[in-house]
Amino acid sequence: MKELTLVKIGGKLIDDESKLSASLEVFSKIKGAKLLVHGGGKLATDMAKQLGIDSPMIDGRRITNTETLKLVSMVYAGWINKKIVAGLQALNQKAMGLCGADDNLILAEKRQHTSIDYGFVGDVTAVNKEALSTYIEQDKVLVLSAITHDGKGQLLNTNADTIATEIAIALSENYQVKLIYSFEKPGVLIHPDDDMSYLKCLDAVLYQEMKENGTINKGMLPKTENAFKAFNKGVDVLIGDLLRMSGDDYCGTELIACK
Amino acid sequence: MKELTLVKIGGKLIDDESKLSASLEVFSKIKGAKLLVHGGGKLATDMAKQLGIDSPMIDGRRITNTETLKLVSMVYAGWINKKIVAGLQALNQKAMGLCGADDNLILAEKRQHTSIDYGFVGDVTAVNKEALSTYIEQDKVLVLSAITHDGKGQLLNTNADTIATEIAIALSENYQVKLIYSFEKPGVLIHPDDDMSYLKCLDAVLYQEMKENGTINKGMLPKTENAFKAFNKGVDVLIGDLLRMSGDDYCGTELIACK
């Protein structure tokens, strides 16, 4: 099967102008079919404050009211997405920025929860892998923001790690997918404050232990959960920092099967 | 030649939620190949005020500093573009929202002017008609915002009427293009305050007269200039309000050749 590298960038890699452009440079050198999914960084949070929009977080997930949805659609699908596209075009990449509503790429439904109303938060229900594959076969480099839609006219806010995972799983039917979750750390850390303590590889047994003893917590939890979800469906997964990788030397934490 | 209907919507049709969705409904019923270009309405101006961003206008053109560029990219390429796409998807249109940077669709250069620095305002230098035609032939309904790029990583803010004109001209080599500039008026008015006074047709002689006696002025000037530019390149042009049109009954001011 043809290889496809899917990179998700987020966190401080998005906020920092020079780190973002360095990440795009590394991304542009990845050979073969590739696709970029990006998060939002903290610009949306900063702007919400400036505009007096209340935007609480529960378990690392933003509660999305009408005003927040408008703001994240602007920031993620507008500024960040188009800035990345223009940056990649300058690096001779055939970049094209889309969100889940475009070409009905990612269909979602408003999150159902017994006690918490997450507002306009979407859980993915379908990935249009035919459309995605068509663009990939036309050598386009898709740049996807994590805004989805319900097919009835409603935009929804979805976690970018989840988008990366769902797309990786959907495309793994047609491609050998390598999924890289890139963020500001070199990988999954044994000691959260020590970057040198990153794991070269992680299997489900060690993962379970690290969750139970609290080593993996907060923002790392949904990331690693997403990572194992993709891994369990046959996707090659690496968690690390694109800026510390070069050429085929993908440093980071690789998910591996239990021995 | 195959027909292509290119609709540009802007002004109050964008600001008013119910008028926007009614416009999308009319647009969705247009048969055959079609494409939508949208302006920004006054949301960007309102948000600039809220955020304390200074954003002066000269001759109906916004001076675009770094902060304004960020804001218009958010509002135009993000919120408005994706809201329109989600709305059209709900109407079973194969809508896909792009800006000029995506797939290198519209290349522009920073405006050169002897005395005024327009900031990050882009004048169109090239339209990627091959890419546009490919999407049209795949039955996609492109939704284009007026954000362009210079190919060197810089996003630029371009007038939406100009984008519509340049695309119409570029595509007129492959299609018989009908270009509709839709806004809140039924057409070009003889008496600016009287909607009933709209012209059924307008030729270059009458247009020249109306410019000279000041009947056509302010925001109507760039629109009519753009309209005649397209008309002179063989594009069928209609200026009017999509909401007053239905089926093949395109009411509005039609540009015609001088007798």
Side-chain angles (χ1 to χ4, degrees), chain A residues 107-256:
Chain A
L107 206 59
E109 62 180 6
K110 197 167 175 295
R111 179 168 299 165
Q112 305 299 321
H113 194 278
T114 45
S115 57
I116 303 168
D117 180 4
Y118 283 95
F120 298 110
V121 166
D123 290 317
V124 176
T125 54
V127 173
N128 187 347
K129 62 172 191 286
E130 294 76 18
L132 289 169
S133 303
T134 302
Y135 295 122
I136 293 166
E137 291 310 312
Q138 290 168 352
D139 293 328
K140 311 281 184 207
V141 177
L142 294 188
V143 178
L144 298 173
S145 68
I147 302 296
T148 55
H149 77 143
D150 69 354
K152 295 167 203 151
Q154 180 64 55
L155 292 169
L156 294 164
N157 184 18
T158 300
N159 178 279
D161 284 336
T162 306
I163 293 290
T165 304
E166 296 291 346
I167 290 178
I169 292 172
L171 290 177
S172 69
E173 289 174 35
N174 300 341
Y175 300 89
Q176 180 55 43
V177 181
K178 178 188 271 295
L179 170 56
I180 302 173
Y181 296 95
S182 175
F183 67 142
E184 64 273 15
K185 299 285 178 190
V188 177
L189 305 179
I190 299 173
H191 307 295
D193 296 327
D194 180 8
D195 274 8
M196 299 300 288
S197 73
Y198 81 89
L199 292 165
K200 293 271 185 202
C201 46
L202 176 63
D203 66 19
V205 173
L206 180 56
Y207 173 53
Q208 196 56 35
E209 266 179 49
M210 289 175 81
K211 270 203 299 187
E212 279 166 16
N213 67 26
T215 310
I216 291 178
N217 59 21
K218 293 186 193 160
M220 276 307 283
L221 256 183
K223 194 182 293 296
T224 44
E225 258 168 47
N226 270 303
F228 271 101
K229 187 176 174 188
F231 179 73
N232 292 334
K233 292 283 177 73
V235 174
D236 295 331
V237 178
L238 193 73
I239 301 173
D241 176 359
L242 207 59
L243 292 182
R244 305 177 209 221
M245 304 179 192
S246 66
D248 289 334
D249 184 17
Y250 291 115
C251 106
T253 303
E254 195 184 343
L255 300 201
I256 55 168

Side-chain angles (χ1 to χ4, degrees), chain A residues 79-93:
Chain A
W79 176 241
I80 294 174
N81 190 269
K82 300 317 170 194
K83 195 170 61 161
I84 290 175
V85 167
L88 288 175
Q89 285 282 347
L91 294 165
N92 293 314
Q93 303 287 293

Side-chain angles (χ1 to χ4, degrees), chain B residues 17-258:
Chain B
E17 198 84 26
S18 67
K19 281 188 181 168
L20 178 60
S21 66
S23 295
L24 297 185
E25 191 112 14
V26 175
F27 178 78
S28 75
K29 287 178 184 151
I30 294 173
K31 291 193 184 84
K34 57 193 167 184
L35 195 153
L36 187 69
V37 173
H38 64 86
K42 66 189 194 57
L43 179 58
T45 318
D46 291 350
M47 282 192 71
K49 262 188 212 156
Q50 265 187 290
L51 293 163
I53 297 169
D54 190 31
S55 176
M57 305 277 282
I58 297 184
D59 295 338
R61 309 270 171 145
R62 198 186 298 279
I63 301 293
T64 307
N65 57 25
T66 308
E67 285 305 302
T68 306
L69 178 70
K70 200 168 171 177
L71 189 64
V72 296
S73 302
M74 285 183 193
V75 174
Y76 302 171
W79 177 241
I80 294 174
N81 190 269
K82 300 317 171 194
K83 195 170 60 160
I84 290 174
V85 167
L88 287 176
Q89 285 283 346
L91 294 165
N92 293 313
Q93 304 288 293
K94 293 183 177 174
M96 180 156 81
L98 299 170
C99 80
D102 295 310
D103 209 9
N104 195 26
L105 289 183
I106 307 162
L107 207 59
E109 62 180 6
K110 198 166 173 297
R111 179 168 299 166
Q112 305 298 321
H113 194 279
T114 46
S115 58
I116 304 169
D117 180 3
Y118 283 96
F120 298 110
V121 165
D123 289 316
V124 176
T125 54
V127 173
N128 188 344
K129 63 172 190 285
E130 294 76 19
L132 289 169
S133 303
T134 303
Y135 295 122
I136 293 166
E137 292 309 311
Q138 290 168 353
D139 293 329
K140 310 281 185 207
V141 176
L142 293 189
V143 178
L144 298 174
S145 68
I147 301 297
T148 55
H149 78 142
D150 70 354
K152 296 166 203 152
Q154 180 64 56
L155 293 171
L156 294 165
N157 185 17
T158 300
N159 178 278
D161 284 335
T162 306
I163 294 290
T165 304
E166 296 291 348
I167 291 177
I169 292 171
L171 289 177
S172 68
E173 289 175 34
N174 300 341
Y175 299 90
Q176 179 57 42
V177 181
K178 179 190 270 301
L179 169 56
I180 302 173
Y181 296 95
S182 175
F183 68 142
E184 64 273 14
K185 299 285 179 190
V188 177
L189 305 181
I190 300 173
H191 307 295
D193 296 327
D194 179 9
D195 275 9
M196 297 300 288
S197 73
Y198 80 90
L199 291 166
K200 292 273 184 202
C201 45
L202 176 63
D203 66 19
V205 173
L206 179 57
Y207 172 52
Q208 196 56 35
E209 265 178 49
M210 289 174 81
K211 271 203 297 188
E212 280 165 17
N213 67 25
T215 310
I216 292 178
N217 59 20
K218 293 186 191 160
M220 275 306 283
L221 256 183
K223 193 183 291 298
T224 44
E225 259 169 46
N226 270 303
F228 270 100
K229 187 176 176 187
F231 179 72
N232 292 333
K233 292 283 176 73
V235 174
D236 295 331
V237 178
L238 193 73
I239 301 173
D241 176 359
L242 207 59
L243 292 182
R244 302 177 211 222
M245 304 178 193
S246 67
D248 290 332
D249 183 17
Y250 290 116
C251 105
T253 303
E254 195 184 343
L255 300 201
I256 55 167
C258 297

